[in-house]
Amino acid sequence: MPDIDLDSFRAETRAWLEENCPPEMRTPAASDDDQCWGGRKFTFQSEAQKLWLERMAAKGWTVPDWAPEYGGGGLSRAETRVLHQEMARIKARSPLSSFGIWMLGPALLKYGTEDQKREHLPPIARGEIRWCQGYSEPGAGSDLAGLQTRAVSATDEGGDYYIINGQKVWTSYADKADWIFCLVRTDPEAPKHKGISFILFDMDQPGVEPKPIRLISGSSPFCETFFTDARAEKKDLVYEENKGWDVAKYLLGHEREMISGMGHGGGGKTLPQMALDSVGVGAGGRLADPLMRAEIAMFEVRAAAYRAQAERFNDEWKAGRINPAVSSMMKYYGTELNKRRNELAMQAGGTGALEWESEESNGGKSARDWLRSKGNSIEGGTSEIQLNIVAKRVLELPG
Amino acid sequence: MPLYLTDDQDMLRDSAKGFLAVKAPVAHLRKLRDADDAAGYDPALWKECAEMGFTSILIPEAEGGLGLGHVEAGVVLEEMGRNLTPSPMLPTAVAAVAALKKGGAQHRDKWFPKIASGDATVALAIDEGAKHDPAATAMRAERSGNGFKLSGRKRFVVQGHTADMLIVAARTAGSAGESDGITLFAVEKGTAKMTADPRRLADSSFAAVVEFDGVELDADAVIGEVDAGWAPLTAMLCAGRAGASAELLGVGQGTTDQTMAYIKERKQFGVIIGTFQALQHRAAHLYAELEVARAATLKAQQLLDDIVDEKSADRARRAVHTAKAMTGLATTLAVQEGVQMHAGVGMTDEYDVGLYMKRARTLAELFGDTNYHADRLACEAGY
Ligand SMILES: Cc1cc2nc3c(=O)[nH]c(=O)nc-3n(C[C@H](O)[C@H](O)[C@H](O)COP(=O)(O)OP(=O)(O)OC[C@H]3O[C@@H](n4cnc5c(N)ncnc54)[C@H](O)[C@@H]3O)c2cc1C
């Protein structure tokens, strides 16, 4: 059935993008560093990147489905989909990569007060404030609820606040972020899930010290983060004191959904294309290496089937007909697929894909992506933890 | 259209579920098997399926059917898979109907009413080798007078010994390996010089080897156009593969439901075995594979129902390849994990899991296995 309103929205969107998306922003970003993350400390790589963010933010299209009062575009689900389709059509990059958009935003929309939403959401939408996630600690990884970072109430002429002491680890982009959403222990006597609070605070203060950690991919996107008498205002406590675990879990659902989609957005060369470029065509127009071909073909079946599952999950989620624990299955399957894709890409690229710095290898993109992908099944909760969740909360297995 | 069942489709599923649970649970298959039944299915049950409307799902309303789609057909087939119900549903009411829709009025007028009422069944004579490969069709149909003469041999003709009509793919031009030059024929039961030799398969179903020893046919036995049978054949196979995917999914889900119930109840070392993480993780992985296969199947069915032009038909065809390949993977895992997690009792004839395993193997081969479909997708993607 043709939808007149949607058709005209599509036409307008197409024309607007045509006019406003700079040509440089119509190629896939080469790496995390090549994306626009915004924030007070961010330096734009190009005028085009800056322009693209400003133009999209002015329309509210960095977060098309958020309400306008929170910096969003106020688009319906169908319109949002059209916008994404039209952006994909011209290979437009996302104007803004942001933990604020992917993780904190949804949590604030659900659990935040009206004041908190109006204060924190618009700067996220405009890319002015960059956020990081302070969940994991050295002693609390999979067992996140075992976290020890302490928050103690205090009051002074500035009002009610918390004094925070402790250490986080694996805090992605803590050195580049402006604010942190952080899990802290506010009641050490309560059972471990019941004494945790979800708090927001500015990283730009003497008591906060992020130290970058170097990864196997060569980059240093995450940090150890130390808090020594750091200050968080009480007005920035999200939801109730000691009920932070609810917020944390809800946010993890969104984080898992985001991570499950990694590497499936397309953009770069397809796996078959990489293999064709590398080993060439053999008999009957088939890839010259039959065993590699078989592995890739089987991978592609699962990838295509998973795309359908992602669509189904999305539809069921939006219609409220799905057990939220199913997001763990998506995270597990999506990340394992992405790791597999990267393994096959390395295999297809052969020795060429080993190059780490050369121009021809685009600065070692294949190898670095491959190594980075290994983190997908760890961050946001490991694959094993996702399987535990599915077993207990979806399959209802005992124990 | 969202990628989940509509309320109407949910209702159809509930009624198919209720009907089959009473009329044709796994015990029904056991009964036929243990009685050494020579037909392979129960014609009385098939009549009841017709009364339920299952046989009319894909027949257009204008021609006396329900005018529903592949999603609805799949809903019924999945329940049949779950109950291991032996029935001619897939070849007759799904694949054959899809082919006849592309054929002339003489076929539709003749067969649609009989299919709808449950009075006729149809079998498909496509495969010649041990592996499905329709383009490799070599059997000849020579021109003879104003008709054709068929000579050759077809294998894996499911329910071919009981069918009232066979849809036969034969070559009228070109050579094996080419999709051009194939013609589809409707050959009625009892036609001279055609003999069907039924072979019982591992899952107790029957597939015939059919010999054509110069079978003479009129020109109007042709379904679609001479030499251009690939189009109705593709429509038929897409419907059949989507349907087989749905049935496979039902087999995988049915056995997995039983396996999950078993590991929640069996105790060893003083605890329920479902508390062991080694089993929990495999169960969760299996769940993921089945859900992904379910999505791929529904996507294929929806796309088949949305075909409006060549482009959308191509998309649907690719989605069908994905669905059949993926359900093959998922259900094969389901039956293997099923036997392993049941362990000793899983190896017994008394438990159902072995029956599911056998059915899964047959359906995995039917209309092409996972490798076949993965290969087709790769070829189409240019590698
Ligand atoms: C790229 C990347 C980015 C990250 N970004 C952030 C961030 O921004 N903020 C943040 O707070 N954290 C971040 N993390 C941390 C991440 O959430 C943790 O690494 C993760 O939760 C696992 O904790 P751990 O590393 O302590 O491993 P451990 O919990 O010590 O796990 C070690 C192994 O034991 C297994 N295991 C543990 N418990 C169980 C169990 N119950 N059953 C079965 N197996 C089990 C695990 O699956 C794993 O294989 C990031 C991690 C990565 C890799």
Side-chain angles (χ1 to χ4, degrees), chain B residues 226-266:
Chain B
V226 176
D227 293 348
W230 192 250
L233 180 59
T234 300
M236 177 169 94
L237 289 174
C238 277
R241 289 161 181 166
S245 302
E247 197 170 337
L248 256 177
L249 195 62
V251 172
Q253 195 67 59
T255 195
T256 300
D257 289 351
Q258 291 187 355
T259 305
M260 291 305 112
Y262 186 73
I263 70 172
K264 284 178 190 177
E265 142 208 316
R266 165 82 175 159

mmCIF file of all heavy atoms in Angstrom, chain B residues 226-266:
data_model
loop_
_atom_site.group_PDB
_atom_site.id
_atom_site.type_symbol
_atom_site.label_atom_id
_atom_site.label_comp_id
_atom_site.label_asym_id
_atom_site.label_seq_id
_atom_site.Cartn_x
_atom_site.Cartn_y
_atom_site.Cartn_z
ATOM 1 N N VAL B 226 6.420 -24.664 -23.148
ATOM 2 C CA VAL B 226 7.422 -25.644 -23.549
ATOM 3 C C VAL B 226 8.811 -24.975 -23.527
ATOM 4 O O VAL B 226 8.953 -23.806 -23.919
ATOM 5 C CB VAL B 226 7.105 -26.188 -24.963
ATOM 6 C CG1 VAL B 226 8.209 -27.149 -25.435
ATOM 7 C CG2 VAL B 226 5.759 -26.900 -24.959
ATOM 8 N N ASP B 227 9.779 -25.705 -23.080
ATOM 9 C CA ASP B 227 11.180 -25.247 -22.953
ATOM 10 C C ASP B 227 11.367 -24.176 -21.867
ATOM 11 O O ASP B 227 12.490 -23.812 -21.554
ATOM 12 C CB ASP B 227 11.741 -24.647 -24.262
ATOM 13 C CG ASP B 227 11.872 -25.686 -25.354
ATOM 14 O OD1 ASP B 227 11.761 -26.888 -25.045
ATOM 15 O OD2 ASP B 227 12.075 -25.279 -26.514
ATOM 16 N N ALA B 228 10.276 -23.642 -21.373
ATOM 17 C CA ALA B 228 10.397 -22.554 -20.388
ATOM 18 C C ALA B 228 9.782 -22.987 -19.058
ATOM 19 O O ALA B 228 9.118 -22.218 -18.372
ATOM 20 C CB ALA B 228 9.734 -21.292 -20.904
ATOM 21 N N GLY B 229 10.017 -24.243 -18.729
ATOM 22 C CA GLY B 229 9.481 -24.768 -17.469
ATOM 23 C C GLY B 229 10.200 -24.238 -16.238
ATOM 24 O O GLY B 229 9.751 -24.428 -15.112
ATOM 25 N N TRP B 230 11.340 -23.571 -16.457
ATOM 26 C CA TRP B 230 12.124 -23.113 -15.304
ATOM 27 C C TRP B 230 11.321 -22.157 -14.431
ATOM 28 O O TRP B 230 11.459 -22.185 -13.197
ATOM 29 C CB TRP B 230 13.430 -22.460 -15.788
ATOM 30 C CG TRP B 230 14.404 -22.236 -14.680
ATOM 31 C CD1 TRP B 230 14.775 -21.042 -14.147
ATOM 32 C CD2 TRP B 230 15.153 -23.237 -13.951
ATOM 33 N NE1 TRP B 230 15.707 -21.225 -13.137
ATOM 34 C CE2 TRP B 230 15.949 -22.571 -12.998
ATOM 35 C CE3 TRP B 230 15.213 -24.638 -14.025
ATOM 36 C CZ2 TRP B 230 16.800 -23.243 -12.117
ATOM 37 C CZ3 TRP B 230 16.064 -25.307 -13.147
ATOM 38 C CH2 TRP B 230 16.842 -24.611 -12.209
ATOM 39 N N ALA B 231 10.464 -21.339 -15.071
ATOM 40 C CA ALA B 231 9.688 -20.366 -14.285
ATOM 41 C C ALA B 231 8.691 -21.057 -13.350
ATOM 42 O O ALA B 231 8.730 -20.825 -12.130
ATOM 43 C CB ALA B 231 9.009 -19.358 -15.193
ATOM 44 N N PRO B 232 7.799 -21.914 -13.866
ATOM 45 C CA PRO B 232 6.906 -22.584 -12.911
ATOM 46 C C PRO B 232 7.653 -23.527 -11.968
ATOM 47 O O PRO B 232 7.264 -23.678 -10.800
ATOM 48 C CB PRO B 232 5.940 -23.386 -13.795
ATOM 49 C CG PRO B 232 6.572 -23.462 -15.134
ATOM 50 C CD PRO B 232 7.456 -22.251 -15.262
ATOM 51 N N LEU B 233 8.742 -24.104 -12.452
ATOM 52 C CA LEU B 233 9.540 -24.986 -11.588
ATOM 53 C C LEU B 233 10.122 -24.188 -10.423
ATOM 54 O O LEU B 233 10.106 -24.631 -9.264
ATOM 55 C CB LEU B 233 10.668 -25.639 -12.407
ATOM 56 C CG LEU B 233 11.609 -26.589 -11.676
ATOM 57 C CD1 LEU B 233 10.851 -27.755 -11.059
ATOM 58 C CD2 LEU B 233 12.685 -27.124 -12.628
ATOM 59 N N THR B 234 10.613 -22.996 -10.728
ATOM 60 C CA THR B 234 11.178 -22.150 -9.671
ATOM 61 C C THR B 234 10.100 -21.745 -8.674
ATOM 62 O O THR B 234 10.319 -21.794 -7.458
ATOM 63 C CB THR B 234 11.831 -20.898 -10.281
ATOM 64 O OG1 THR B 234 12.862 -21.329 -11.169
ATOM 65 C CG2 THR B 234 12.439 -20.007 -9.222
ATOM 66 N N ALA B 235 8.937 -21.372 -9.198
ATOM 67 C CA ALA B 235 7.841 -20.992 -8.292
ATOM 68 C C ALA B 235 7.490 -22.174 -7.388
ATOM 69 O O ALA B 235 7.274 -22.017 -6.178
ATOM 70 C CB ALA B 235 6.621 -20.560 -9.090
ATOM 71 N N MET B 236 7.456 -23.350 -8.004
ATOM 72 C CA MET B 236 7.112 -24.554 -7.247
ATOM 73 C C MET B 236 8.182 -24.852 -6.190
ATOM 74 O O MET B 236 7.863 -25.148 -5.036
ATOM 75 C CB MET B 236 6.989 -25.722 -8.219
ATOM 76 C CG MET B 236 6.710 -27.045 -7.560
ATOM 77 S SD MET B 236 6.266 -28.281 -8.793
ATOM 78 C CE MET B 236 7.859 -29.025 -9.079
ATOM 79 N N LEU B 237 9.420 -24.775 -6.606
ATOM 80 C CA LEU B 237 10.501 -25.104 -5.668
ATOM 81 C C LEU B 237 10.622 -24.058 -4.561
ATOM 82 O O LEU B 237 10.901 -24.397 -3.409
ATOM 83 C CB LEU B 237 11.830 -25.263 -6.417
ATOM 84 C CG LEU B 237 11.914 -26.530 -7.276
ATOM 85 C CD1 LEU B 237 13.200 -26.537 -8.103
ATOM 86 C CD2 LEU B 237 11.814 -27.795 -6.434
ATOM 87 N N CYS B 238 10.394 -22.792 -4.895
ATOM 88 C CA CYS B 238 10.431 -21.760 -3.845
ATOM 89 C C CYS B 238 9.359 -22.057 -2.797
ATOM 90 O O CYS B 238 9.626 -22.002 -1.593
ATOM 91 C CB CYS B 238 10.199 -20.374 -4.432
ATOM 92 S SG CYS B 238 11.691 -19.655 -5.125
ATOM 93 N N ALA B 239 8.162 -22.364 -3.274
ATOM 94 C CA ALA B 239 7.086 -22.680 -2.336
ATOM 95 C C ALA B 239 7.443 -23.926 -1.525
ATOM 96 O O ALA B 239 7.275 -23.964 -0.299
ATOM 97 C CB ALA B 239 5.785 -22.902 -3.100
ATOM 98 N N GLY B 240 7.962 -24.933 -2.229
ATOM 99 C CA GLY B 240 8.318 -26.185 -1.560
ATOM 100 C C GLY B 240 9.430 -25.994 -0.547
ATOM 101 O O GLY B 240 9.394 -26.543 0.554
ATOM 102 N N ARG B 241 10.418 -25.191 -0.918
ATOM 103 C CA ARG B 241 11.551 -24.989 -0.005
ATOM 104 C C ARG B 241 11.154 -24.163 1.211
ATOM 105 O O ARG B 241 11.593 -24.447 2.337
ATOM 106 C CB ARG B 241 12.694 -24.291 -0.751
ATOM 107 C CG ARG B 241 13.364 -25.198 -1.763
ATOM 108 C CD ARG B 241 14.132 -24.401 -2.785
ATOM 109 N NE ARG B 241 14.751 -25.289 -3.763
ATOM 110 C CZ ARG B 241 15.263 -24.879 -4.915
ATOM 111 N NH1 ARG B 241 15.212 -23.597 -5.245
ATOM 112 N NH2 ARG B 241 15.813 -25.734 -5.744
ATOM 113 N N ALA B 242 10.339 -23.135 0.976
ATOM 114 C CA ALA B 242 9.876 -22.337 2.120
ATOM 115 C C ALA B 242 9.044 -23.230 3.037
ATOM 116 O O ALA B 242 9.170 -23.183 4.268
ATOM 117 C CB ALA B 242 9.069 -21.137 1.648
ATOM 118 N N GLY B 243 8.201 -24.057 2.423
ATOM 119 C CA GLY B 243 7.371 -24.971 3.217
ATOM 120 C C GLY B 243 8.216 -25.989 3.962
ATOM 121 O O GLY B 243 7.976 -26.281 5.138
ATOM 122 N N ALA B 244 9.218 -26.531 3.271
ATOM 123 C CA ALA B 244 10.094 -27.509 3.923
ATOM 124 C C ALA B 244 10.851 -26.853 5.067
ATOM 125 O O ALA B 244 11.101 -27.475 6.104
ATOM 126 C CB ALA B 244 11.064 -28.106 2.908
ATOM 127 N N SER B 245 11.210 -25.581 4.896
ATOM 128 C CA SER B 245 11.893 -24.857 5.975
ATOM 129 C C SER B 245 10.986 -24.776 7.193
ATOM 130 O O SER B 245 11.423 -24.995 8.329
ATOM 131 C CB SER B 245 12.266 -23.436 5.535
ATOM 132 O OG SER B 245 13.077 -23.463 4.391
ATOM 133 N N ALA B 246 9.724 -24.453 6.941
ATOM 134 C CA ALA B 246 8.776 -24.331 8.056
ATOM 135 C C ALA B 246 8.597 -25.683 8.753
ATOM 136 O O ALA B 246 8.578 -25.768 9.983
ATOM 137 C CB ALA B 246 7.432 -23.820 7.555
ATOM 138 N N GLU B 247 8.495 -26.732 7.942
ATOM 139 C CA GLU B 247 8.301 -28.050 8.546
ATOM 140 C C GLU B 247 9.551 -28.459 9.349
ATOM 141 O O GLU B 247 9.450 -28.990 10.453
ATOM 142 C CB GLU B 247 7.976 -29.084 7.460
ATOM 143 C CG GLU B 247 7.358 -30.339 8.041
ATOM 144 C CD GLU B 247 6.797 -31.313 6.995
ATOM 145 O OE1 GLU B 247 6.491 -30.868 5.865
ATOM 146 O OE2 GLU B 247 6.697 -32.499 7.314
ATOM 147 N N LEU B 248 10.716 -28.172 8.774
ATOM 148 C CA LEU B 248 11.977 -28.467 9.476
ATOM 149 C C LEU B 248 12.057 -27.717 10.800
ATOM 150 O O LEU B 248 12.497 -28.263 11.812
ATOM 151 C CB LEU B 248 13.157 -28.002 8.618
ATOM 152 C CG LEU B 248 13.972 -29.029 7.870
ATOM 153 C CD1 LEU B 248 15.027 -28.318 7.026
ATOM 154 C CD2 LEU B 248 14.634 -30.027 8.799
ATOM 155 N N LEU B 249 11.640 -26.470 10.749
ATOM 156 C CA LEU B 249 11.655 -25.662 11.956
ATOM 157 C C LEU B 249 10.762 -26.295 13.021
ATOM 158 O O LEU B 249 11.125 -26.349 14.199
ATOM 159 C CB LEU B 249 11.137 -24.269 11.600
ATOM 160 C CG LEU B 249 11.376 -23.163 12.580
ATOM 161 C CD1 LEU B 249 12.865 -22.957 12.768
ATOM 162 C CD2 LEU B 249 10.729 -21.878 12.057
ATOM 163 N N GLY B 250 9.611 -26.795 12.571
ATOM 164 C CA GLY B 250 8.707 -27.467 13.507
ATOM 165 C C GLY B 250 9.353 -28.713 14.095
ATOM 166 O O GLY B 250 9.216 -28.986 15.296
ATOM 167 N N VAL B 251 10.076 -29.442 13.267
ATOM 168 C CA VAL B 251 10.773 -30.637 13.747
ATOM 169 C C VAL B 251 11.824 -30.220 14.790
ATOM 170 O O VAL B 251 11.915 -30.795 15.876
ATOM 171 C CB VAL B 251 11.443 -31.395 12.575
ATOM 172 C CG1 VAL B 251 12.328 -32.523 13.089
ATOM 173 C CG2 VAL B 251 10.380 -31.941 11.626
ATOM 174 N N GLY B 252 12.592 -29.193 14.462
ATOM 175 C CA GLY B 252 13.647 -28.733 15.370
ATOM 176 C C GLY B 252 13.073 -28.217 16.678
ATOM 177 O O GLY B 252 13.576 -28.516 17.768
ATOM 178 N N GLN B 253 11.994 -27.428 16.572
ATOM 179 C CA GLN B 253 11.382 -26.853 17.773
ATOM 180 C C GLN B 253 10.716 -27.943 18.601
ATOM 181 O O GLN B 253 10.830 -27.957 19.825
ATOM 182 C CB GLN B 253 10.349 -25.798 17.361
ATOM 183 C CG GLN B 253 9.919 -24.902 18.491
ATOM 184 C CD GLN B 253 11.059 -24.006 18.955
ATOM 185 O OE1 GLN B 253 11.599 -23.225 18.184
ATOM 186 N NE2 GLN B 253 11.447 -24.147 20.211
ATOM 187 N N GLY B 254 10.052 -28.862 17.913
ATOM 188 C CA GLY B 254 9.356 -29.938 18.621
ATOM 189 C C GLY B 254 10.322 -30.775 19.431
ATOM 190 O O GLY B 254 10.101 -31.052 20.618
ATOM 191 N N THR B 255 11.417 -31.156 18.818
ATOM 192 C CA THR B 255 12.358 -31.999 19.552
ATOM 193 C C THR B 255 13.053 -31.194 20.654
ATOM 194 O O THR B 255 13.295 -31.695 21.747
ATOM 195 C CB THR B 255 13.383 -32.653 18.599
ATOM 196 O OG1 THR B 255 14.031 -33.709 19.287
ATOM 197 C CG2 THR B 255 14.413 -31.689 18.080
ATOM 198 N N THR B 256 13.319 -29.920 20.389
ATOM 199 C CA THR B 256 13.995 -29.104 21.398
ATOM 200 C C THR B 256 13.095 -28.884 22.620
ATOM 201 O O THR B 256 13.566 -28.921 23.758
ATOM 202 C CB THR B 256 14.448 -27.764 20.791
ATOM 203 O OG1 THR B 256 15.356 -28.056 19.725
ATOM 204 C CG2 THR B 256 15.140 -26.888 21.807
ATOM 205 N N ASP B 257 11.817 -28.684 22.377
ATOM 206 C CA ASP B 257 10.898 -28.546 23.516
ATOM 207 C C ASP B 257 10.963 -29.791 24.402
ATOM 208 O O ASP B 257 10.980 -29.701 25.630
ATOM 209 C CB ASP B 257 9.459 -28.323 23.025
ATOM 210 C CG ASP B 257 9.280 -26.939 22.406
ATOM 211 O OD1 ASP B 257 10.210 -26.113 22.514
ATOM 212 O OD2 ASP B 257 8.211 -26.690 21.806
ATOM 213 N N GLN B 258 11.006 -30.955 23.764
ATOM 214 C CA GLN B 258 11.079 -32.198 24.540
ATOM 215 C C GLN B 258 12.419 -32.298 25.274
ATOM 216 O O GLN B 258 12.475 -32.731 26.428
ATOM 217 C CB GLN B 258 10.899 -33.412 23.626
ATOM 218 C CG GLN B 258 9.484 -33.513 23.071
ATOM 219 C CD GLN B 258 9.261 -34.810 22.296
ATOM 220 O OE1 GLN B 258 10.191 -35.591 22.089
ATOM 221 N NE2 GLN B 258 8.032 -35.035 21.865
ATOM 222 N N THR B 259 13.487 -31.891 24.588
ATOM 223 C CA THR B 259 14.807 -31.965 25.218
ATOM 224 C C THR B 259 14.878 -31.039 26.429
ATOM 225 O O THR B 259 15.398 -31.409 27.484
ATOM 226 C CB THR B 259 15.904 -31.584 24.205
ATOM 227 O OG1 THR B 259 15.776 -32.420 23.062
ATOM 228 C CG2 THR B 259 17.291 -31.749 24.798
ATOM 229 N N MET B 260 14.338 -29.830 26.285
ATOM 230 C CA MET B 260 14.369 -28.888 27.405
ATOM 231 C C MET B 260 13.564 -29.441 28.583
ATOM 232 O O MET B 260 13.979 -29.337 29.735
ATOM 233 C CB MET B 260 13.814 -27.518 26.985
ATOM 234 C CG MET B 260 14.696 -26.750 25.999
ATOM 235 S SD MET B 260 16.378 -26.516 26.578
ATOM 236 C CE MET B 260 17.262 -27.552 25.447
ATOM 237 N N ALA B 261 12.423 -30.039 28.267
ATOM 238 C CA ALA B 261 11.618 -30.617 29.350
ATOM 239 C C ALA B 261 12.409 -31.743 30.027
ATOM 240 O O ALA B 261 12.404 -31.857 31.266
ATOM 241 C CB ALA B 261 10.296 -31.150 28.791
ATOM 242 N N TYR B 262 13.113 -32.515 29.230
ATOM 243 C CA TYR B 262 13.866 -33.638 29.799
ATOM 244 C C TYR B 262 14.981 -33.162 30.726
ATOM 245 O O TYR B 262 15.139 -33.675 31.834
ATOM 246 C CB TYR B 262 14.449 -34.502 28.675
ATOM 247 C CG TYR B 262 15.113 -35.753 29.189
ATOM 248 C CD1 TYR B 262 14.347 -36.825 29.676
ATOM 249 C CD2 TYR B 262 16.498 -35.865 29.235
ATOM 250 C CE1 TYR B 262 14.953 -37.963 30.178
ATOM 251 C CE2 TYR B 262 17.114 -36.998 29.742
ATOM 252 C CZ TYR B 262 16.343 -38.045 30.217
ATOM 253 O OH TYR B 262 16.941 -39.167 30.717
ATOM 254 N N ILE B 263 15.739 -32.145 30.281
ATOM 255 C CA ILE B 263 16.863 -31.726 31.136
ATOM 256 C C ILE B 263 16.407 -30.903 32.353
ATOM 257 O O ILE B 263 17.192 -30.615 33.244
ATOM 258 C CB ILE B 263 17.993 -30.996 30.360
ATOM 259 C CG1 ILE B 263 17.566 -29.612 29.873
ATOM 260 C CG2 ILE B 263 18.515 -31.848 29.207
ATOM 261 C CD1 ILE B 263 18.729 -28.813 29.275
ATOM 262 N N LYS B 264 15.139 -30.562 32.377
ATOM 263 C CA LYS B 264 14.616 -29.905 33.582
ATOM 264 C C LYS B 264 14.108 -30.933 34.596
ATOM 265 O O LYS B 264 13.674 -30.566 35.689
ATOM 266 C CB LYS B 264 13.451 -28.976 33.213
ATOM 267 C CG LYS B 264 13.904 -27.683 32.556
ATOM 268 C CD LYS B 264 12.716 -26.823 32.164
ATOM 269 C CE LYS B 264 13.162 -25.671 31.298
ATOM 270 N NZ LYS B 264 12.050 -24.841 30.831
ATOM 271 N N GLU B 265 14.123 -32.212 34.191
ATOM 272 C CA GLU B 265 13.509 -33.202 35.071
ATOM 273 C C GLU B 265 14.485 -34.316 35.448
ATOM 274 O O GLU B 265 14.495 -34.796 36.580
ATOM 275 C CB GLU B 265 12.256 -33.714 34.336
ATOM 276 C CG GLU B 265 11.937 -35.164 34.474
ATOM 277 C CD GLU B 265 11.176 -35.679 33.246
ATOM 278 O OE1 GLU B 265 10.246 -34.997 32.764
ATOM 279 O OE2 GLU B 265 11.542 -36.765 32.750
ATOM 280 N N ARG B 266 15.376 -34.682 34.563
ATOM 281 C CA ARG B 266 16.319 -35.783 34.823
ATOM 282 C C ARG B 266 17.364 -35.355 35.865
ATOM 283 O O ARG B 266 17.929 -34.260 35.780
ATOM 284 C CB ARG B 266 17.009 -36.132 33.503
ATOM 285 C CG ARG B 266 18.248 -36.973 33.617
ATOM 286 C CD ARG B 266 17.918 -38.425 33.743
ATOM 287 N NE ARG B 266 19.129 -39.245 33.740
ATOM 288 C CZ ARG B 266 19.165 -40.481 34.230
ATOM 289 N NH1 ARG B 266 18.067 -41.034 34.724
ATOM 290 N NH2 ARG B 266 20.281 -41.178 34.178
#
